[in-house]
């Protein structure tokens, strides 16, 4: 039986369902079939920052968003809209109380789902924080917690970042000390003997004691002491390398702490659980828990530093050193113990230990571990001096304690610093102290970690024999080590190369910037300027984990977006960057953070690149440098893109008759503008009706010859005996009817342009004469014996393949070489269907004005026109629109029924016999399908739902097959 329906309804009994997003109870027939749909286009404007957070989540990174609301009613309305929008994005919206109630029953359904946890307006934030951490511990999906706070505002709703909103507003609740019964106090005091057993090496006895005490306390409903006892048991198991068992024990401690509503113990259990999962190799799950705890433990300053240290440990294991370097792991000073009555009463002693210390005090072992992790991060990021300071301070503090484990952790950090600085003599002395303390503390795994540090130092120093001895010891230890340590030991044993040198402070910034080799390759190899810039912007978005990156320019006048990558909210800094011409650092804009960087080529400001991050994500410290580096590589391609855009815009203005919005028409207009200023011959290719004469006239109008004549000749309309006279002129009396001297078109168009249409129809004699004119740049009239100099720009047009004409011997090859200097191809209308609607509106406006109709074209008419294959191209479309204007009403809407049947695919039945009508209909359907497919039988058969052989049989039956040798295209 399906437990979770439509991602938000839970079957709470046989026929009743609970809406997890609102708490309402519905019958099955009342549940919407599509689960309260809400498309992205219907997102409320006030929720835009929250929707951006939902759209740009990353696994292992839970988020917490706080929204202002005036009252509970407004918060409920906002929560319902947020739930619908989140559900449309694949989230499971759930109220926090319902999640805590049904999380175990829905565990299987929610295992790989991202949750949108919604806290009611008046609910305690403590409960919501715990729900977010629990969800992060169960799944590393990008869960989001939405809470509300009261705000007396008159404007729209705003979604704010949780960390800034709740950082000082609501501290976690710390319960006061509790007076326990003597029996419970006796069990707690028994548990205090476990550390003595462990220090004596009696770990099994310590484990049995802690298990017995925890069970006894749980039976007596002493949940908080039971939770802390289980944490102590889990720590003991974790120290012994049993990470999986420790994870289970920490989960039990969390359950006890939740029953006792003791938030400090819950946080402690979660952090220890993250550490156990890290040792067990489950680093992604550990990262999710750590990030959730950092969000939720806002008032526990020490525990936040501890959680950051646990997260830094995960980041170091996954080689994300720069992220680890950004974490603050400074522990606050420990509090002084308050007065708790008389020390003679053991119940008071237990109360102090369990309630106060468990709530606020960080023990020495945890503090030493935090400092040790900080030292590792400092060394990994090249901050050796800071690492040494932190290690020396921890060493000084540890020497004041009697716990050998605390001193061991401090000396391992000191050893790490000495090995990094190259002082192997002092490091060897400290290493021997570490081994002695490890034996005293019965901590063989910490000794193994110290041996790994010492092994790397020996290898770098070339002391191979000593390194081999340590390798042999580590090989024996690896068999009983937890997964992550065992994997590390195996890698270090088989690795023979030395560890890379520690990075210095000076190289840190440059090494924090990723390699730009892929960008250089993109800038050099990608052919299209737009594609090159697009891919570079995509690289920026991927490297910096942005929600959106915009490239903005004022090259065309107002600031406009050239390229946009990502689905986040539009950026706001573009115009400011273009005005100031300088880099603008990270600023909060519309609920998110933005960085704007100008793009320059030499001294010219080309554009601005603005990157945006959601409100819960901080930009990398090197983000601005990365963007500047990428834009410096992209600047030449961006400059070419802008120049191309300027050229396209100018071409569309100077050739207004060539209507079309397609890319190919933009290319044609740009080619016309380029060719117009050149003095060379132009060959215009295209099918009949595509507008070759318009291209020729545009070439003339844009050329320096625009003030001279433009003469056009249709070669197919001139008979051979008149061709020479028309083109080159004749003298008086040259032939019968030549009563006066007459100049030819070449003379009349001298210093102008001659357009020869239908060039393949020029006769062989005319081709020879034309070749001589082009070679000599002079003409001789018929009947004269001398020549006249001319200067003519020749534009020719053809609707055939001129190479095939030359191959078949119908056209002179040497003449084609002189005519085909610049070639402009105009694609047929069927290859640019996006232009059909624009051309139709253009021709309709002209035709409607001429016939006096005020009717408007409908979307159905434009859709039918766009589906037609237009064998007559633009000329056919113009004629159809003229005929439609005549048939259209004086006003209103033009219906698709007024279009010709050849366009709509309909047919008129001219018979009363059913069999004949069926044949007429089938014939018309096949003819239309073949026309739409451009004669391709394969595509027509696919459109009709037939196989190719089935189409051939149908065409044979209908008498549509061509004679042999003239079959249709494949």
């Amino acid at each position: 039986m399906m437990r979770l329906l439509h991602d938000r309804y839970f079957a709470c009994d046989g026929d009743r369902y609970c809406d997890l997003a609102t708490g309402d109870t519905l019958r099955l027939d009342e549940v919407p079939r599509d689960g309260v749909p809400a498309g992205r286009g219907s997102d409320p404007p006030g929720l835009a920052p929250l929707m951006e957070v939902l759209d740009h989540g990353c696994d292992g990174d839970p988020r917490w968003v706080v929204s202002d609301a005036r009252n509970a009613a407004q918060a409920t309305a906002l929560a319902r809209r947020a739930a619908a929008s989140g559900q449309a994005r694949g989230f499971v919206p759930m109220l926090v109380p319902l999640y805590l109630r049904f999380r175990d029953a829905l565990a299987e359904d929610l295992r790989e789902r991202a949750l949108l946890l919604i806290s009611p307006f008046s609910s305690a934030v403590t409960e919501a924080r715990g729900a977010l951490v629990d969800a992060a511990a169960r799944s590393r999906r990008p869960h989001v917690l939405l809470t509300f706070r009261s705000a007396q505002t008159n404007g729209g709703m705003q979604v704010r970042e949780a960390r800034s909103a709740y950082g000082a507003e609501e501290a976690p609740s710390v319960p006061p000390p509790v007076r326990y019964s003597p029996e419970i106090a006796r069990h707690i005091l028994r548990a205090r003997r476990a550390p003595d057993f462990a220090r004596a090496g009696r770990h099994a006895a310590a484990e049995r004691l802690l298990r017995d005490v925890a069970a006894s306390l749980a039976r007596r409903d002493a949940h908080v002491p039971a939770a802390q006892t289980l944490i102590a048991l889990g720590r003991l198991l974790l120290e012994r390398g049993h990470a999986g068992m420790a994870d289970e024990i920490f989960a039990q401690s969390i359950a006890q702490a939740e029953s006792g509503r003791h938030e400090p113990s819950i946080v402690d259990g979660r952090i220890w659980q993250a550490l156990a999962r890290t040792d067990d190799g489950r680093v992604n799950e550990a990262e999710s828990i750590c990030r959730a705890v950092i969000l939720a433990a806002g008032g526990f300053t020490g525990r936040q530093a501890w959680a950051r240290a646990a997260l830094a440990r995960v980041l170091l294991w996954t080689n994300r050193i720069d992220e680890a370097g950004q974490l603050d792991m400074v522990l606050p000073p420990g509090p002084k113990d308050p007065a708790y009555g008389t020390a003679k009463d053991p119940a008071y002693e237990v109360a102090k230990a369990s309630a106060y210390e468990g709530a606020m005090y960080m023990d020495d072992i945890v503090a030493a571990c935090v400092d040790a992790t900080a030292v590792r991060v400092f060394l990994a990021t090249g901050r050796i001096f800071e690492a040494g300071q932190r290690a020396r301070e921890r060493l000084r503090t540890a020497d004041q304690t009697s716990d050998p484990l605390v001193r061991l952790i401090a000396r391992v950090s000191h050893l790490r610093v000495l090995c990094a600085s190259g002082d192997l003599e002092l490091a060897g002395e400290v290493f021997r102290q570490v081994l002695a303390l490890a034996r005293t503390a019965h901590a063989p795994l910490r000794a193994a970690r110290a041996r790994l540090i010492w092994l790397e130092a020996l290898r770098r120093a070339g002391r191979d024999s000593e390194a081999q001895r340590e390798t042999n010891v580590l090989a024996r230890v690896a068999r009983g080590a937890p997964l992550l340590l065992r994997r590390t030991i195996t890698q270090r044993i088989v690795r023979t190369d030395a560890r890379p040198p520690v990075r210095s402070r000076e190289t840190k910034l440059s090494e924090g910037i990723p390699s730009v080799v892929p960008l250089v390759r993109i800038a050099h190899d990608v052919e299209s300027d737009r594609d090159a810039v697009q891919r570079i912007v995509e690289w920026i978005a991927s490297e910096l984990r942005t929600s959106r990156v915009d490239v903005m320019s004022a090259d065309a006048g107002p600031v406009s977006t050239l390229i946009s990558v990502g689905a986040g909210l539009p950026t706001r800094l573009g115009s400011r960057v273009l005005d100031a011409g300088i880099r603008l650092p990270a600023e909060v804009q519309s609920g998110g953070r933005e960085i704007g960087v100008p793009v320059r080529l030499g001294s010219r400001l080309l554009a601005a690149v603005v990157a945006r991050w959601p409100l819960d994500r901080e930009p990398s410290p090197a983000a601005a440098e990365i963007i500047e580096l990428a834009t410096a590589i992209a600047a030449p391609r961006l400059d070419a893109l802008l120049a191309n855009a300027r050229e396209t815009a100018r071409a569309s203005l100077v050739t207004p008759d060539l209507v079309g919005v397609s890319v190919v028409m933009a290319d044609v207009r740009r080619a016309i503008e380029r060719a117009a200023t050149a003095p060379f011959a132009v060959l215009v290719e295209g099918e009949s009706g595509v507008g070759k004469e318009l291209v020729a006239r545009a070439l003339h109008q844009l050329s320096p010859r625009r003030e001279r004549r433009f003469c056009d000749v249709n070669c197919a309309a001139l008979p051979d005996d008149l061709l020479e006279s028309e083109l080159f002129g004749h003298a008086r009396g040259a032939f019968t009817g030549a009563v006066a001297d007459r100049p030819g078109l070449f003379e009349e168009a001298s210093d102008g342009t001659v357009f020869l249409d239908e060039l393949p129809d020029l006769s062989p004699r005319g081709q020879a004469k034309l070749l001589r004119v082009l070679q000599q740049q002079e003409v001789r009239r018929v009947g004269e014996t001398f020549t006249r100099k001319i200067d003519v720009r020749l534009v020719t047009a053809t609707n055939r393949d001129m190479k095939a004409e030359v191959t078949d011997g119908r056209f002179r090859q040497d003449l084609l070489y002189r005519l085909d200097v610049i070639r402009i191809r105009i694609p047929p209308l069927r290859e640019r269907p996006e232009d059909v609607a624009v051309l139709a509106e253009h021709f309709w406006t002209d035709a409607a004005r001429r016939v006096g109709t005020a009717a408007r074209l409908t979307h159905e008419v434009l859709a039918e026109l766009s589906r037609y294959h237009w064998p007559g191209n633009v000329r056919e479309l113009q004629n159809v629109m003229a005929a439609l204007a005549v048939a259209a009403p004086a006003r209103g809407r033009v219906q698709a029924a007024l279009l010709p049947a050849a366009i709509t695919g309909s047919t008129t039945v001219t018979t009363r016999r059913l069999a004949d009508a069926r044949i007429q209909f089938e014939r018309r359907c096949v003819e239309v399908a073949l026309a739409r497919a451009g004669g391709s039988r394969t595509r027509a058969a696919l459109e009709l739902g037939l196989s190719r052989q089935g189409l051939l049989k149908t065409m044979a039956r209908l008498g549509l097959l061509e004679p042999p040798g003239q079959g249709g295209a494949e």
Side-chain angles (χ1 to χ4, degrees):
M1 177 180 177
M2 182 180 292
R3 307 283 298 177
L4 184 65
L5 183 65
H6 298 316
D7 292 345
R8 67 180 289 174
Y9 300 98
F10 175 62
C12 50
D13 55 36
D15 59 348
R16 306 291 293 179
Y17 280 77
C18 176
D19 186 348
L20 297 174
T22 63
D24 299 335
T25 303
L26 305 89
R27 295 192 308 272
L28 181 59
D29 56 352
E30 296 174 337
V31 175
R33 291 185 177 272
D34 50 1
V36 191
R40 299 194 181 204
S42 61
D43 293 336
L47 281 178
L50 173 61
M51 296 305 103
E52 188 177 28
V53 171
L54 296 179
D55 285 334
H56 298 87
C58 298
D59 285 352
D61 190 8
R63 280 81 47 85
W64 179 12
V65 177
V66 183
S67 176
D68 293 339
R70 290 190 295 272
N71 48 49
Q74 188 184 37
T76 301
L78 181 60
R80 288 179 180 272
R81 290 184 289 175
S85 297
Q87 183 184 354
R89 287 164 167 79
F91 283 76
V92 178
M94 299 183 70
L95 287 176
V96 168
L98 295 181
Y99 170 77
L100 297 175
R101 176 182 174 188
F102 295 129
R103 57 185 172 181
D104 293 328
L106 290 172
E108 191 63 30
D109 292 321
L110 302 179
R111 184 180 302 275
E112 295 299 329
R113 302 303 305 274
L115 305 181
L116 173 59
L117 299 173
I118 304 172
S119 178
F121 183 72
S122 57
S123 295
V125 180
T126 302
E127 189 178 64
R129 287 195 296 248
L132 179 63
V133 178
D134 182 82
R138 291 171 180 261
S139 168
R140 57 186 299 266
R141 299 292 292 155
H143 309 294
V144 176
L145 171 64
L146 174 62
T147 59
F148 301 94
R149 68 176 182 180
S150 178
Q152 300 300 322
T153 58
N154 296 323
M157 302 175 186
Q158 294 182 347
V159 178
R160 303 187 179 182
E161 185 182 4
R163 280 166 284 187
S164 60
Y166 279 112
E169 181 175 323
E170 179 177 342
S173 58
V174 179
V178 179
R179 183 188 295 272
Y180 294 107
S181 67
E183 184 179 8
I184 293 176
R186 181 175 59 83
H187 285 293
I188 296 176
L189 292 175
R190 283 179 57 212
R192 290 188 173 186
R193 298 170 55 195
D196 298 332
F197 288 161
R199 281 191 288 268
R202 300 172 58 189
H203 295 92
E207 181 180 344
R208 287 194 300 271
L209 174 62
L210 291 174
R211 288 185 185 274
D212 179 62
V213 170
S216 299
L217 293 173
R219 286 194 299 270
R220 290 166 176 78
D221 293 332
H223 298 294
V224 176
Q228 295 171 350
T229 304
L230 287 170
I231 289 177
L233 174 59
R235 293 176 61 172
L236 177 65
L237 294 172
L238 188 61
E239 193 67 36
R240 299 298 297 168
H242 306 302
M245 296 173 57
D247 183 22
E248 297 177 2
I249 295 298
F250 291 135
Q252 296 175 22
S253 73
I254 294 165
Q256 290 292 329
E258 288 179 342
S259 299
R261 297 182 180 277
H262 193 256
E263 192 175 4
S265 296
I266 297 174
V267 174
D268 288 350
R270 290 298 183 191
I271 300 176
W272 282 113
Q273 189 178 48
L275 294 171
R277 293 186 181 183
T278 302
D279 283 357
D280 202 27
R282 299 153 64 184
V283 290
N284 293 328
E285 300 174 21
E287 179 182 358
S288 180
I289 295 175
C290 291
R291 292 189 183 278
V293 170
I294 291 171
L295 278 179
F300 296 124
T301 309
R303 284 173 172 82
Q304 271 200 329
W306 182 18
R308 292 192 190 99
L311 176 59
R313 190 164 174 256
V314 171
L315 297 175
L316 289 175
W317 280 115
T318 54
N319 203 30
R320 291 146 66 186
I321 297 173
D322 293 318
E323 290 185 54
Q326 301 173 27
L327 298 174
D328 180 15
M329 290 172 281
V330 178
L331 287 170
K336 296 180 180 179
D337 290 339
Y340 274 98
T342 63
K344 298 179 181 180
D345 188 350
Y348 281 111
E349 292 294 324
V350 172
K352 183 179 74 170
S354 62
Y356 184 80
E357 291 184 5
M360 299 297 291
Y361 180 63
M362 301 291 292
D363 62 49
D364 292 336
I365 295 177
V366 170
C369 290
V370 173
D371 284 339
T373 304
V375 169
R376 289 181 60 189
V377 172
F378 287 148
L379 292 176
T381 53
R383 298 147 68 183
I384 298 180
F385 180 75
E386 296 175 61
Q389 281 187 317
R390 190 81 175 248
R392 282 194 298 272
E393 180 63 25
R394 172 48 53 190
L395 194 62
R396 183 188 62 80
T397 306
D399 287 340
Q400 300 174 3
T401 66
S402 59
D403 192 337
L405 187 58
V406 176
R407 289 184 283 140
L408 171 61
I409 297 171
R411 274 169 175 74
V412 171
S413 297
H414 188 42
L415 173 66
R416 203 181 286 273
V417 174
L418 293 175
C419 290
S421 62
D423 189 353
L424 291 191
E425 183 176 354
L426 184 57
E429 181 181 344
V430 173
F431 177 64
R432 288 187 288 273
Q433 297 175 10
V434 166
L435 295 182
L437 285 171
R439 287 191 293 270
T440 303
H442 299 279
L445 296 182
R446 294 193 181 272
R449 295 186 177 97
R451 288 184 186 276
L452 284 173
I453 301 170
W454 182 238
L455 173 63
E456 291 298 308
L458 293 175
R459 282 180 173 173
R460 285 199 301 270
R463 296 159 63 172
D464 296 335
S465 59
E466 298 178 60
Q468 186 59 44
R469 287 198 298 270
E470 300 300 331
T471 299
N472 296 335
V473 176
L474 287 171
R476 294 193 297 270
V477 174
R479 290 192 286 269
L483 177 63
L484 203 59
L485 180 59
R486 183 169 67 250
R487 185 183 305 164
T488 305
I489 292 175
T490 303
Q491 292 173 350
R492 300 287 174 84
I493 289 177
V494 300
R495 202 181 76 186
T496 58
D497 58 320
R499 188 174 182 178
V502 179
R503 300 186 300 178
S504 66
R505 181 185 296 270
E506 289 75 16
T507 61
K508 177 191 170 187
L509 180 59
S510 62
E511 292 189 7
I513 297 177
S515 171
V516 295
V517 173
L519 297 186
V520 177
R521 289 176 179 167
I522 291 172
H524 285 184
D525 298 341
V526 177
E527 183 175 353
S528 168
D529 294 322
R530 176 171 289 277
D531 291 344
V533 177
Q534 175 87 17
R535 289 178 57 179
I536 291 175
V537 174
E538 290 172 354
W539 181 90
I540 294 174
S542 174
E543 286 292 332
L544 299 181
R545 297 174 61 201
T546 62
S547 63
R548 183 177 180 128
V549 180
D550 287 341
V551 181
M552 312 186 77
S553 172
D555 193 67
V559 177
S560 58
T561 302
L562 294 177
I563 292 175
S564 181
V565 172
L569 297 178
T571 58
R572 299 291 186 89
L573 288 183
S575 57
R576 290 176 53 194
V577 174
L578 291 172
D579 289 341
I582 60 174
R583 185 176 81 189
L584 296 182
E587 297 184 11
V588 177
Q589 297 282 335
S590 302
R593 293 170 176 81
E594 296 182 8
I595 292 178
V597 174
V599 184
R600 294 183 179 276
L601 187 62
S603 60
R604 292 184 294 120
L605 178 63
L606 302 179
V609 174
V610 184
R612 177 181 176 83
W613 289 262
L615 58 85
D616 65 317
R617 192 175 300 164
E618 290 284 348
S620 166
E625 285 77 11
I626 292 174
I627 298 174
E628 284 190 345
L629 187 59
T631 54
I633 297 173
R637 302 303 298 267
L638 182 59
D639 185 43
L641 174 63
L642 292 173
N644 193 21
R646 288 192 297 269
E647 189 176 294
T648 301
R650 187 169 59 250
S652 62
L653 294 176
V654 298
T655 55
D657 293 334
L658 293 172
V659 178
V661 296
S662 61
V663 175
V664 291
M665 283 307 297
D667 293 339
V668 167
R669 288 192 289 265
R670 194 159 51 246
I672 291 172
E673 187 181 16
R674 290 174 179 172
T677 56
F680 308 116
V682 180
L683 176 63
V684 183
E685 287 186 325
E687 297 180 2
S688 296
V690 295
K692 297 188 290 296
E693 184 177 351
L694 290 178
V695 173
R697 292 185 179 276
L699 287 168
H700 176 71
Q701 292 297 326
L702 298 178
S703 71
R705 304 171 182 265
R706 68 178 67 90
E707 303 298 331
R708 307 296 294 180
R709 286 198 59 182
F710 174 84
C711 298
D712 58 325
V713 181
N714 189 341
C715 298
L718 286 178
D720 194 37
D721 53 351
L722 294 180
L723 176 65
E724 189 174 357
S725 175
E726 287 292 325
L727 294 181
F728 312 124
H730 60 264
R732 178 179 179 183
F735 52 84
T736 304
V739 296
D741 293 344
R742 180 190 171 190
L745 293 180
F746 275 90
E747 282 188 70
E748 292 181 354
S750 186
D751 296 329
T753 304
V754 172
F755 174 52
L756 300 181
D757 199 5
E758 305 296 344
L759 180 65
D761 293 324
L762 193 62
S763 66
R765 182 181 176 186
Q767 295 177 29
K769 291 283 188 179
L770 182 59
L771 178 60
R772 184 175 183 278
V773 169
L774 294 178
Q775 288 176 335
Q776 305 292 336
Q777 282 292 304
E778 58 186 21
V779 296
R780 185 170 62 184
R781 296 180 182 177
V782 178
E784 289 185 345
T785 59
F786 58 91
T787 59
R788 302 169 187 269
K789 280 292 187 181
I790 60 169
D791 180 14
V792 173
R793 169 78 176 278
L794 192 61
V795 179
T796 55
T798 176
N799 59 359
R800 304 180 203 169
D801 185 359
M802 295 305 297
K803 291 184 179 179
E805 294 292 313
V806 171
T807 302
D808 295 341
R810 292 190 292 270
F811 200 84
R812 296 178 61 115
Q813 189 173 30
D814 51 357
L815 176 59
L816 181 61
Y817 287 153
R818 287 167 173 80
L819 297 178
D820 191 9
V821 180
I822 301 174
R823 181 180 299 188
I824 298 176
R825 179 183 178 272
I826 307 177
L829 194 53
R830 63 178 174 273
E831 294 182 7
R832 43 190 179 102
E834 59 268 41
D835 289 341
V836 172
V838 179
L839 286 166
E841 293 282 3
H842 174 72
F843 292 138
W844 172 259
T845 301
D846 180 65
R849 177 182 54 79
R850 296 174 66 178
V851 301
T853 178
R856 303 187 307 276
L857 298 177
T858 61
H859 291 295
E860 292 78 9
V861 170
L862 296 176
E864 291 289 348
L865 294 175
S866 298
R867 282 193 290 266
Y868 185 54
H869 68 288
W870 299 107
N873 291 297
V874 180
R875 186 180 296 117
E876 182 184 5
L877 176 60
Q878 184 177 14
N879 294 337
V880 168
M881 300 312 296
L884 188 62
V886 174
R891 58 181 54 85
R893 297 162 61 86
V894 179
Q895 302 298 327
L898 296 178
L899 291 171
I903 296 176
T904 61
S906 60
T907 184
T908 301
V909 178
T910 60
T911 179
R912 296 182 180 180
R913 291 176 57 83
L914 181 60
D916 295 339
R918 184 183 295 114
I919 291 173
Q920 288 183 6
F921 183 78
E922 288 184 3
R923 179 191 294 271
R924 186 59 193 156
C925 284
V926 173
E927 288 175 342
V928 171
L930 287 169
R932 287 178 178 171
S936 172
R937 293 171 180 171
T938 302
R939 293 199 298 269
L942 184 63
E943 180 179 344
L944 292 170
L946 301 173
S947 65
R948 190 174 184 278
Q949 293 298 324
L951 176 61
L952 290 175
K953 292 179 181 179
T954 302
M955 293 174 65
R957 178 169 54 84
L958 298 173
L960 294 176
L961 280 179
E962 296 86 351
Q966 301 180 13
E970 293 298 320

